[in-house]
Structures are given as C-alpha cells and as structure tokens.
C-alpha cells in the first residue's frame, strides 16, 4: 500500500511498484501481471485470516473503486485464474461471512462476485479450441482471435495450466448460478483424463491444445503438473463428484508406483515409467506432502517433507531445483510457500510440535535473510544470499496465511477454517458450495480400477483428530532414519559388491569426473553395464545395457550416470557455446588462401576480443601429446605449438606449451580421417579447475584439416599461420608488411591471363571451377541435436558447438577468381580443388620464380588487382566462417 499501490507487485529493493511495460521484461513470469492490482486482490482473504478485518474492508473498497479488468494486455489464463479470479472469490467468501456476523461489511452487496463474473467471461474466449483445453494466454480486452489480441497462436499448454481451473470456475458457477464456467473447466479436465497414458496412468508436462498429443512426455508431481493432481482431489471435496476422486486415486496409485522413491519424487517417462526422466527435483513438488495428508497417506508425506527440510537447513531456503544428491541445481528462491503449506497440513494431521519448530525456522530465515526495508525480497542465489528485486503476490497470499495458521489457536480465528477448502493459491472457498446450484449432471466416466489397491478408494477424507490417537511419536519414528539424508550426500545402504571385499560402499562414478583414458573409470562403467564406443569422427559414444550390469544397484548407478552425462553435455552446450574459429595459412605459397575451420576453447585468449588474432610460425612439440613438460622448448618459444589430442586434458596441454614459451596452440585430432566436413564442430572444455592462468589461444583441428598443416611443414618447413575468430582478407594480413615480389609478379601473370581469357568466356569457366572446388572442400555439417545424442568426447571433455552449415572447412579462395588457369603459385594443400593441367601449373611456377625480385608495387595497386579476391574474403567474413 505504501510503496507499490496500485501496481501489481512490490519491488522491495527499490521500494516501488512493478508495472508491466515500465520494467524490463522477465518473459513468461510477467504474464501474471495485468495492471489489475494483483497483490491487493491476491491478499484479500489473508487479511481476514490474520484478523485484520478493518484493513480488509478498506482493501475491498479500493478494489471495487480502482481495479479495471478491461485492460488491453495479454495475461496467463492459469495465473489470472488462481490469483485474481480466486482472490476475488476468496474475498467474496469471507466478505459474506463477515456480513452474516453482523459487525463488518454490512454495506457489501456482492461487488467482488460481480467483478469475478466479469473476469470469468473475459477468460472464456481462451477455451475456444476443439479439445476444450484453453489457450495459455488471453487478452483481457480483445480475447484470443481478435486481430488486436496479440495471442492465440500458441499450440501447447502445461497440464497444470489446463487442469487447475475447476475449483474457481465451479465456485463461480455455484455462486452465480451461471453453469457455463463449471462446464468449460470440466471439459478441460475430461480431455486431460482421456489423454492420460493408459498403461502407466500418468500424464505429461505439456500437451497440444488442438490435437491432444503430449509434447513433453516426462511426468512428475512438480512444475507443470502439480496442481492438476491437487484439483482432482479438492474438486471431489468441494463438489462431491465421485469421478474426481476415482481419477485422483488412479493417478495417485501410478505416482506411488513409479514417481515416489521415498524420500524422493523423481520424474519419469510416461511411456517408460521405470525410467527416470531427470536427476533433479524442483521446489514446487514441496506441496505434495500436504496433498498426501489430505489423501490420508501420512508416512510418505512425512518422509518427503523431512528430506525437504534437511535441504532447507543446508541452504536456508529451498532452491528452485536440486539434484538427487541434494546439490543446488537452480539456485533461485522466489519465496515459494509450498513447503510452509505442507508443514501446516502435517502439523494439523499429527499434532507433532516438531512442525512448529520447522515453522519457526522458516520465519527466522525469512526475517534474517529475506527481509529488507520495504518488504521481503526473493533470493537470487541461496548459496550466496543475494537478493532479487521481486516479491510475488503469492508470498502474501499463501506464505503469510499458512505460517499464521500453523501457530494460531482456534480462539485466534474469527471463523472456523475447517468450513473452507484452500485453492492452490490458498484462497478460501466455502464447503457449502457442494450443495448449491448443482446444474452439472455427474457423469462417472472413470473405468478400469480393478488392478488398483483398494486402500486408495477411501470415500471420506481422513479425520485428523483421531488419526494418531495412541502413538504421538509416530511421525518422529518415520523422520528419524532421514535426519542425515542431506548431510553431504545421500547415504547408501551397504549392500553393494564392495562390501564383500571389505572396502565398504563406494560412491558411484559421477559424469563430471569421468575420463575415458582412466582404466579404473572404464572398469566402473563396465560394472554399471555402460559400454564405450569410439566413433570415427573422434567422439566417444556411451551405451547402457542394464542386463549387463553386475547387479540391479549397479544398473541404477549406470542409468544415473547416463542421465548426468546427457545433462552435463547439454548444460555445457547451452552455457558455454562458442562460434567456430579460423586457422589461416599465411606463408608461401598459401598467403591466406587456405582457411581451416577450427574448434574453439572455453579457456585461454578469447579471439573474438582480439581482432588481430595470433600470428606465428608453427612447431611440433615433444612429446607430441603435450601431456608432460615440453622437451624442445627452444623450438616452441614464440611459436604456435602443434600437438596431438589424447592422454590428458586440453587445459593441461595448454599450460605445458605456455610454460615452454609458445604463443598459441593447435590440437590435432588423433582419430584418422575425422573432418569438419562430416563431424559436428567441437569446442575444448576446461578441466573443471580455474583456467585463468591460461592466456594463449588454443584451437582444435580435426585430423583431415590438421594434416594439411603437417603436410605443409614437411614440404615447406617454415609454415606461418594466423589464429583468429574469422578469416582475414590479405589486405589485413599483410598490412604494414613488405609484400613479397613473387606475389606481385604472379599477380601480373594472372592479370595478363585475365585479358586473354576474357575473349573465351573465362568467367563462365571459372564459375564452373569454383562450383567444383566448392563441392570438393565441402561445408561443415551441423551436428545432431544435443538432446538426441548421447555422445561425449572425453578425456579432453570436448563439447559440441554449433557450426554454420554454410561455412567452409578448407577454403581455396582463388578458386572463385577468373583466370586461375595460370595461378600465381602452386597450392599443394588444395590442388584437388583446381582442375588445371599439372604441366601448366609447373610452367607458371617456373615463370613466377624468374621474376620474383624484379618489382615492388604499392599496396593500392595490389588491392586493385586483387579486387575479386578481396570480395571473396569479405563474403566469407559476412558468413563468419
């Protein structure tokens, strides 16, 4: 009220309101903002729970007076439903309750309900699909299909987005007597139910709103699905429709069969539910223990809650995502309330004062680490304690509500909280709605439950007052084995083969530690049923066959290792993706015409920031693998070192040649025949340590490209190259340098040939030659999509980098110049691209040598003669190799 109103949210660090369009876009997060005083509406019923009735009355008057729901703005259907429509309905629910009590809100005449109905009609255009699933976004003023709506082109929505509508929409229908809202929400739920995977009874994360096909086929109880399950059970509680409970029980049986791995809840594939889809969990699943309490399944609720609490004690807050060994995966924490919600429900179910201590910890951490002068700030990184200028509306709508209710006695409340059900945004809907305006006929479309455990079909909610009448220590007995579950790493049972050897349990091999050259690692992989395949292009492919593992536990470790390797490779590609680089041979007889596509390094000099690049003569090091101290430093000093891939990490090679005085390094692939023509480009990763000490540039060449340099050394001895971010034209290469006479005279020869050949349509001929040469050198092919490949390239930790499909790996720039019949000098490295008689080349070479020392021309004249050549380089620069 003081710093942000009427804005949607408070920015607690800068003490101002967040108004959409006036602050930098945060992407989908901003879809919750609709210029409708979001936080005020979302917090209405919280004020009554906190016994702030006067403040509530004033807030309702402000909402009625100031809030406009007819804004030309695109909002999330899901967020607007649970926060704004739910907030208006929750506010209406407690307003009529206070009015009945006779002290407050005597003037109230259903104004909030009228606003809710108006908003409901504004959301209905989103349901204009053949499936009945709503579009994910809607324009409050123009709907979906209107030309000015700026939405309606989406094809996918999350399961929770389409399946978390029934409570608010049904309540709106029951309050107003207008059945259309409940009908639309039921149709969406029915469609999701019909599209469930029938063999596993699980649903995916994302679904196509037109076809009903699953777009993301992983399934869990966290982000993207969470509140779909919640609303099935709560819809039964609020509406009394048995079909909702039957559907929930069917899903719940599948969750406990496949996803629940106490105390963990891990995503699986809906078609292969025995296969984990990822090795980390997101914080939104913290609501699930609370839902299990409502279901009456207390033991797993206690186990998962205790695991989450241990994570919180380690990091002060629950990270947005964390791995199965409880390391931080995503470090943010936007003050989410789900864990506090589950804590409240567990305390209600057990009466165990332990959960009051948990709540006390939450409050102390909020005050100590998140409280700022103007409010509470989200955590940008739970590891560092840094803040983000953000306080979402759900913090006041849910967190305050659940923490207050956790500690409140019955006499502290001005109404009976048991008469209401909480929506997913903790808004209060009265249970008497189940018998009001029942305009929807109940259709039990749920079938085939014969294989499910009968205990899943309790037709009443558990009575928490008699749940543990004789064993108040029940919850503690479940928590006790989990008290150290997050201490450093998840404890493993001593049941592995190592125990028989007396060595005790050993931690499994982690993907980040794996080296393909380590015999011990290879032995561990074999034990886990993982085999190594060396591909021709230099990559290493990992394949797991669980049946080949030494034991079922080893097979599990193997699966986890493969998942980690895929995620590690994907993360490296996303976080450190670099463009390809160029190795340009600038010495005689190439003079910059040969350009080799090179893979970059994630360490050392960044060539994109050093436009001049690094230029020098090349030298082969000893030992050739560069994995130990260089024994020929005098040959390497002030030169660019050539070395072979293998035996050690790239960073180790770089440090060794840098110590020997090299100004740069080129690593040549040791896999015979590998080429950037056929293989995806690679970038060289570091060794997991700080690589700031490496200051020289490092590039990677496949075997075919590397052999071009090695062949040139054998024939010409002194070979000079330029390492750069992209190929340079010769004007840049020779800027400030004396131009060799043999370049000049050979250029004159070429000029003379141009004049003669112009009468014979030489341009057509040279164009054909250029096409032929281009076909020979080929283009760098794009690598496979990261998600479709399980290839890795250790021991040097090569990670894929995107390659421009139009770039050229071995470039003979003169092949596109008219009149190359009498080229200025032989080009052994690229002669296959020149379709000229060898005798003619030899004669030209002889003539060129005679005139090497005759003349020197100014640069301007040379540039004029080389105009087409320079244009070719400019085109290559445009394409960025």
């Amino acid at each position: 009220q003081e710093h942000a109103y009427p804005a949607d949210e408070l920015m607690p660090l800068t003490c101002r309101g967040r108004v959409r369009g006036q602050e930098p876009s945060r992407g989908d997060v901003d879809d919750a903002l609709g210029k409708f005083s979001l936080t005020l509406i979302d917090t209405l019923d919280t004020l009554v729970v906190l016994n702030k009735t006067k403040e509530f009355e004033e807030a309702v008057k402000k909402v009625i007076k100031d809030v406009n729901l007819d804004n030309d703005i695109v909002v999330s259907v899901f967020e607007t439903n649970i926060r704004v429509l739910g907030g208006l309905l929750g506010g209406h629910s407690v307003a009529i309750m206070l009015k009945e009590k006779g002290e407050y809100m005597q003037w109230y005449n259903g104004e909030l309900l009228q606003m809710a109905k108006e908003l409901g009609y504004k959301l209905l255009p989103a349901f204009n699909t053949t499936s009945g699933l709503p579009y994910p976004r809607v324009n409050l003023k123009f709907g979906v299909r209107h030309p000015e709506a700026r939405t309606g082109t989406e094809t996918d929505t999350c399961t929770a987005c389409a399946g978390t509508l029934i409570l608010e929409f049904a309540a709106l229908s029951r309050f107003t007597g207008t059945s259309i809202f409940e009908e639309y929400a039921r149709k969406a739920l029915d469609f999701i139910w019909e599209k469930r995977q029938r063999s596993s009874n699980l649903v995916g994360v994302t679904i196509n709103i037109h076809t009903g096909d699953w777009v993301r086929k992983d399934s869990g109880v966290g982000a993207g699905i969470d509140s779909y399950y919640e609303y099935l059970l709560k819809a039964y509680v609020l509406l009394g429709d048995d079909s909702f409970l039957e559907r929930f029980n069917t899903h719940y049986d599948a969750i406990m069969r496949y996803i629940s791995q106490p105390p963990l809840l891990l995503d699986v594939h809906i078609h292969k539910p025995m296969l984990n889809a990822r090795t980390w969990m997101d914080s939104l699943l913290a609501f699930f223990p609370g839902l299990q309490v409502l279901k009456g399944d207390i033991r797993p609720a206690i186990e998962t809650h205790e695991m989450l609490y241990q994570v919180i004690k380690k990091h002060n807050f629950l990270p947005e995502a964390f791995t199965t060994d409880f390391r931080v995966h995503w470090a943010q924490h936007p003050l989410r309330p789900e864990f506090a919600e589950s804590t409240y429900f567990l305390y209600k179910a057990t009466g165990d004062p332990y959960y009051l201590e948990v709540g006390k910890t939450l409050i102390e951490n909020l005050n100590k680490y998140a409280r700022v002068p103007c409010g509470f700030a989200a955590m940008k990184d739970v590891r560092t304690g840094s803040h983000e200028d953000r306080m979402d509306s759900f913090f006041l709508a849910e967190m305050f509500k659940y923490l207050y209710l956790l500690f409140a006695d019955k006499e502290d409340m001005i109404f009976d909280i048991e008469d209401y059900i909480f929506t997913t945004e903790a808004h209060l809907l009265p249970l008497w709605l189940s018998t009001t305006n029942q305009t929807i006929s109940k259709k039990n479309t749920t079938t085939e439950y014969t294989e499910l455990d009968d205990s899943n079909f309790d037709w009443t909610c558990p009575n928490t007052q008699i749940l543990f009448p004789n064993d108040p220590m029940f919850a503690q007995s479940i928590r006790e084995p989990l008290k150290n579950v997050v201490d450093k790493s998840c404890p493993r049972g001593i049941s592995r083969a190592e125990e028989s050897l007396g060595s005790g349990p050993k931690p499994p091999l982690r993907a980040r530690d794996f080296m393909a050259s380590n015999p011990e690692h290879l032995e561990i992989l074999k034990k886990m049923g993982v085999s190594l395949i060396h591909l021709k292009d230099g990559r290493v492919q990992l394949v797991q066959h669980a049946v080949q593992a030494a034991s079922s536990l080893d097979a599990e470790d193997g699966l986890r290792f493969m998942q980690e390797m895929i995620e590690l490779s994907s993360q490296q590609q996303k976080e450190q993706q670099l463009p390809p680089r160029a190795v340009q041979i600038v010495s005689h007889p190439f003079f910059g015409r040969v350009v080799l596509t090179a893979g970059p390094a994630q360490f050392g000099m960044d060539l994109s920031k050093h436009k001049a690049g690094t230029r020098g003569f090349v030298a082969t090091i000893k030992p050739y693998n560069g994995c130990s101290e260089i024994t020929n430093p005098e040959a390497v000093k002030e030169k660019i070192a050539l070395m072979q891939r293998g035996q050690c990490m790239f960073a180790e090679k770089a440090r060794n040649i840098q110590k020997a005085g090299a100004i740069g390094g080129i690593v040549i692939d040791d896999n015979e025949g590998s080429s950037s023509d056929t293989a995806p480009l690679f970038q060289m990763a570091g060794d997991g340590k700080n690589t700031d000490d490496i200051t020289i540039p490092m590039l990677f060449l496949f075997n075919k490209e590397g052999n071009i340099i090695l062949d040139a050394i054998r024939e010409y001895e002194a070979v000079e190259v330029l390492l750069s971010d992209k190929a340079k034209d010769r004007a840049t290469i020779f800027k400030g340098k004396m131009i060799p006479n043999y370049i000049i005279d050979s250029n004159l020869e070429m000029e003379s040939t141009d004049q003669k050949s112009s009468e014979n349509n030489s341009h057509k001929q040279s164009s054909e030659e250029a096409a032929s040469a281009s076909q020979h050198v080929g283009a760098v092919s794009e690598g496979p999509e990261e998600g479709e490949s399980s290839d890795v390239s250790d021991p040097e930790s090569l990670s894929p980098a995107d390659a421009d499909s139009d770039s050229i790996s071995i470039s003979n720039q003169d092949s596109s110049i008219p009149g190359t019949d009498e080229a200025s000098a032989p080009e052994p490295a690229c002669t296959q691209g020149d379709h000229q008689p060898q005798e003619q080349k030899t004669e030209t070479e002889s003539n060129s040598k005679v005139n090497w020392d005759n003349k020197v021309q100014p640069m301007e004249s040379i540039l004029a003669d080389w105009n087409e050549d320079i244009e070719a380089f400019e085109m290559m620069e445009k394409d960025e190799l």
Side-chain angles (χ1 to χ4, degrees):
Q1 291 284 355
E2 181 180 349
H3 300 290
Y5 187 79
D8 284 318
E9 289 180 350
L10 168 68
M11 300 174 67
L13 298 182
T14 53
C15 299
R16 56 196 173 96
R18 183 181 297 279
V19 179
R20 192 169 175 183
Q22 296 181 12
E23 303 293 336
S25 174
R26 300 176 298 171
D28 293 346
V29 176
D30 283 341
D31 287 345
L33 311 181
K35 297 183 179 179
F36 36 35
S37 298
L38 172 64
T39 299
L40 182 62
I41 293 177
D42 212 3
T43 315
L44 286 176
D45 52 5
T46 299
L47 292 170
V48 178
V49 171
L50 300 180
N51 205 4
K52 301 286 185 181
T53 48
K54 291 182 179 179
E55 290 84 349
F56 169 75
E57 193 160 3
E58 292 302 315
V60 171
K61 291 178 179 178
K62 279 191 174 184
V63 169
I64 296 171
K65 176 176 176 290
D66 298 338
V67 172
N68 177 23
L69 298 174
D70 195 39
N71 299 313
D72 179 11
I73 193 167
V74 176
V75 297
S76 163
V77 173
F78 167 75
E79 297 290 356
T80 304
N81 171 66
I82 65 171
R83 299 202 207 188
V84 185
L85 182 58
L88 292 171
L89 292 172
H92 173 70
S93 298
V94 294
I96 58 177
M97 176 270 297
L98 290 174
K99 184 176 182 179
E100 288 176 0
K101 288 182 177 292
E103 184 177 355
Y104 296 100
M105 302 298 294
Q106 296 305 301
W107 55 270
Y108 182 70
N109 196 30
E111 289 85 353
L112 293 179
L113 181 59
Q114 286 304 116
M115 294 180 68
K117 188 175 182 180
E118 177 189 353
L119 181 59
Y121 278 119
K122 289 184 175 296
L123 296 179
L124 286 185
F127 292 82
N128 188 19
T129 62
T130 55
S131 66
L133 299 178
Y135 283 96
R137 298 174 184 85
V138 67
N139 187 299
L140 291 177
K141 189 176 185 69
F142 298 109
V144 173
R145 296 295 182 86
H146 193 280
E148 298 181 58
R150 304 187 305 282
T151 188
T153 59
E154 304 92 341
T155 59
D156 307 334
T157 192
C158 72
T159 300
C161 298
T164 312
L165 300 160
I166 186 64
L167 292 189
E168 291 84 2
F169 273 49
L172 182 58
S173 288
R174 301 295 175 97
F175 272 129
T176 63
T178 306
S179 64
I180 188 172
F181 305 109
E182 186 173 344
E183 290 172 359
Y184 274 56
R186 280 179 177 264
K187 184 179 179 182
L189 274 181
D190 290 345
F191 190 83
I192 295 174
W193 170 252
E194 289 301 319
K195 291 298 179 179
R196 74 192 186 281
Q197 213 292 320
R198 297 303 177 100
S199 61
S200 66
N201 281 322
L202 294 173
V203 293
V205 174
T206 309
I207 190 171
N208 186 295
I209 59 177
H210 303 296
T211 66
D213 294 332
W214 292 110
V215 180
R216 276 187 55 188
K217 299 176 183 179
D218 46 319
S219 182
V221 296
I225 303 180
D226 48 2
S227 49
Y228 163 69
Y229 294 134
E230 177 186 2
Y231 269 37
L232 284 178
L233 181 56
K234 290 184 176 180
Y236 164 68
V237 175
L238 181 66
L239 306 177
D241 189 334
D242 294 348
S243 66
F244 290 129
L245 180 62
E246 291 173 345
R247 294 179 188 182
F248 172 80
N249 284 331
T250 303
H251 285 314
Y252 188 77
D253 179 82
I255 291 169
M256 300 309 292
R257 188 188 303 267
Y258 303 119
I259 295 171
S260 178
Q261 301 177 34
L264 309 180
L265 292 164
L266 294 177
D267 284 19
V268 299
H269 296 278
I270 59 175
H271 295 95
K272 298 179 180 179
M274 300 304 293
L275 182 65
N276 288 340
R278 62 190 189 191
T279 58
W280 49 272
M281 296 167 281
D282 65 74
S283 62
L284 286 172
L285 61 75
F287 92 100
F288 198 67
L291 188 64
Q292 289 178 307
V293 170
L294 189 59
K295 159 69 181 167
D297 198 0
I298 303 296
R299 175 179 289 273
I302 293 172
E303 291 174 335
T304 299
H305 180 273
E306 180 62 21
M307 176 271 293
L308 295 171
Y309 184 45
Q310 298 296 329
V311 175
I312 289 175
K313 288 200 291 187
K314 184 174 182 179
H315 300 292
N316 298 321
F317 297 97
L318 194 62
E320 196 72 333
F322 54 93
T323 61
T324 53
D325 59 352
F326 310 110
R327 291 179 294 110
V328 173
H329 186 69
W330 296 333
Q332 311 97 307
H333 174 70
L335 306 181
R336 293 199 184 277
E338 285 77 15
F339 181 77
E341 173 186 357
S342 289
T343 303
Y344 164 69
F345 282 114
L346 274 169
Y347 178 65
K348 291 285 289 184
T350 65
D352 190 336
Y354 174 82
Y355 295 108
L356 296 179
E357 291 298 319
V358 173
K360 180 182 177 183
T361 300
L362 296 181
I363 294 173
E364 288 176 347
N365 288 348
L366 284 171
N367 284 321
K368 185 175 182 180
Y369 302 109
R371 190 160 197 164
V372 293
C374 293
F376 291 83
M379 307 305 296
K380 188 175 184 179
D381 193 318
V382 297
R383 297 164 298 191
T384 63
S386 57
H387 289 125
E388 188 176 355
D389 199 5
R390 169 184 180 183
M391 192 180 85
D392 290 85
S393 66
F394 54 66
F395 178 68
L396 296 179
E398 299 183 71
M399 182 74 85
F400 270 33
K401 193 174 294 175
Y402 285 125
L403 289 178
Y404 180 84
L405 290 171
L406 175 63
F407 292 98
D409 295 324
K410 196 166 186 177
E411 54 270 21
D412 296 327
M413 302 291 296
I414 60 174
F415 65 99
D416 189 353
I417 198 72
E418 302 295 339
D419 292 337
Y420 297 82
I421 191 169
F422 292 103
T423 69
T424 194
E425 192 76 3
H427 292 307
L428 302 175
L429 298 178
L431 293 175
W432 53 257
L433 286 175
S434 61
T435 58
T436 303
N437 291 326
Q438 297 185 41
T439 57
I440 307 297
S441 60
K442 298 180 183 179
K443 295 181 181 179
N444 192 336
T445 59
T446 312
T447 58
E448 300 180 7
Y449 296 99
T450 55
E451 297 182 2
L452 302 182
D453 186 349
D454 287 342
S455 65
N456 279 323
F457 291 89
D458 299 327
W459 294 99
T460 58
C461 296
N463 187 333
T464 59
Q465 296 179 6
I466 61 171
L467 201 54
F468 310 108
N470 301 317
D471 188 7
M473 300 298 290
F474 177 76
Q476 182 179 341
S477 67
I478 298 175
R479 290 193 305 267
E480 189 64 25
L482 301 171
K483 64 180 181 180
N484 296 319
V485 69
V486 183
D487 187 15
K488 295 185 179 178
S489 63
C490 184
R492 301 175 60 85
I494 306 177
S495 57
R496 306 181 58 80
E498 291 88 350
E499 185 182 18
S500 62
L501 301 176
S503 59
K506 293 182 179 180
L509 178 64
R510 304 306 304 275
R512 64 177 183 270
D513 301 325
F514 170 68
M515 289 185 64
S517 60
N518 188 321
E520 185 179 347
H521 288 183
L522 297 179
E523 189 63 30
I524 296 174
L525 289 190
K526 183 178 179 181
K527 191 175 182 180
M528 295 190 300
V530 179
S531 56
L532 228 71
I533 301 174
H534 291 274
L535 304 179
K536 291 182 179 180
D537 59 13
R539 293 177 295 164
V540 177
Q541 187 177 51
L542 297 174
V543 181
Q544 191 206 22
H545 300 284
V547 294
Q548 298 177 3
S551 67
S552 59
L553 285 174
D554 288 307
E556 290 179 12
D557 287 342
L559 177 61
R560 189 175 295 110
F561 173 84
M562 294 292 287
Q563 291 170 335
E564 287 182 0
M565 186 61 76
I566 292 172
E567 288 187 10
L568 181 64
S569 180
S570 177
Q571 183 179 5
Q572 286 177 341
Q573 182 186 24
K574 291 177 181 178
E575 294 181 356
Q576 302 186 15
Q577 193 174 81
L578 298 172
R581 305 302 189 203
V583 175
Q584 199 165 359
I585 307 179
V586 298
S587 56
H588 165 74
F590 308 99
F591 309 119
R593 288 183 298 233
V594 175
V595 182
L596 308 176
T597 301
Q602 297 172 359
F603 53 86
M605 178 190 293
D606 185 353
L607 290 171
S608 66
K609 297 179 181 178
H610 295 77
K611 295 300 181 182
T614 296
R615 178 173 176 167
F617 288 91
V618 295
T620 303
I621 63 171
K622 298 178 182 179
Y624 190 31
N625 60 31
C627 293
S628 58
E629 186 174 350
I630 306 304
T631 59
N632 61 334
E634 69 286 345
V636 176
K637 189 174 182 181
E638 299 300 325
K639 294 183 180 179
I640 294 174
L642 296 178
M643 70 212 77
Q644 189 178 47
R645 172 190 172 193
Q647 307 302 316
C648 64
M649 306 295 283
F650 285 124
E652 184 177 348
K653 298 176 188 287
R655 291 188 178 97
N656 287 333
I657 65 170
Q658 180 174 282
K659 184 178 179 181
I663 60 173
I666 298 175
V667 179
I668 299 175
D669 192 10
D670 60 344
N671 290 280
E672 191 68 31
S674 66
S675 168
S676 61
D677 293 344
T678 56
L681 197 67
F682 285 110
Q683 58 185 10
M684 298 182 285
D687 55 3
K689 305 174 185 176
N690 190 319
T691 55
D692 292 344
D693 58 313
I694 302 174
T695 58
I696 61 174
M698 292 288 292
L699 295 181
F700 175 86
L701 290 179
F702 281 107
N703 186 264
K704 180 180 177 181
E705 287 83 353
N707 281 334
I708 292 176
I709 294 182
L710 296 177
D711 290 343
I713 293 175
R714 281 190 286 270
E715 188 159 354
Y716 300 102
E717 294 186 1
V719 175
E720 188 179 17
V721 301
L722 174 66
L723 312 183
S724 59
D725 62 331
K726 53 189 176 183
K728 310 296 183 186
D729 61 64
R730 272 176 272 182
T732 301
I733 293 173
F734 294 109
K735 185 177 182 181
K737 296 181 180 290
M738 176 65 70
I739 308 302
N741 291 350
Y742 48 79
I743 299 181
I744 300 164
D745 270 9
S746 62
N747 182 71
L748 293 176
E749 292 285 344
M750 185 176 70
E751 188 180 72
S752 175
T753 305
D754 285 346
Q755 296 172 355
K756 294 177 182 179
S757 62
S758 61
E759 301 172 0
N760 298 315
N761 198 10
S762 64
H763 181 74
K764 178 179 179 181
Q765 178 185 351
S766 64
S767 299
E768 294 171 352
E769 292 166 357
S772 176
S774 177
Q775 290 173 2
H776 164 67
V777 298
V780 176
S781 60
E782 291 194 42
E785 289 294 326
E786 185 63 32
E788 299 172 0
S789 172
S790 59
D791 299 339
V792 295
S793 298
D794 281 276
E796 292 96 340
S797 301
L798 285 175
S799 55
D802 286 345
D804 188 338
S805 60
D806 295 326
S807 62
I808 298 175
S809 60
I810 309 172
S811 178
N812 180 351
Q813 295 301 325
D814 280 354
S815 64
S816 63
I817 300 175
T820 53
D821 290 0
E822 300 179 18
S824 61
E827 299 179 42
C830 297
T831 52
Q832 293 177 347
D834 299 326
H835 301 280
Q836 318 300 335
Q838 186 62 40
E839 297 81 3
Q840 190 173 3
K841 278 184 174 283
T842 306
E843 181 183 352
T844 304
E845 180 182 1
S846 176
N847 291 339
S848 298
K849 289 180 179 178
V850 173
N851 298 313
W852 277 0
D853 299 320
N854 289 350
K855 301 176 182 178
V856 175
Q857 284 185 305
M859 178 62 72
E860 290 76 13
S861 175
I862 295 172
L863 292 178
D865 293 336
W866 287 351
N867 184 54
E868 292 189 36
D869 200 5
I870 292 171
E871 287 179 358
F873 274 102
E874 289 175 345
M875 181 61 68
M876 186 165 61
E877 281 190 331
K878 183 178 179 181
D879 291 341
E880 293 189 2
L881 194 55

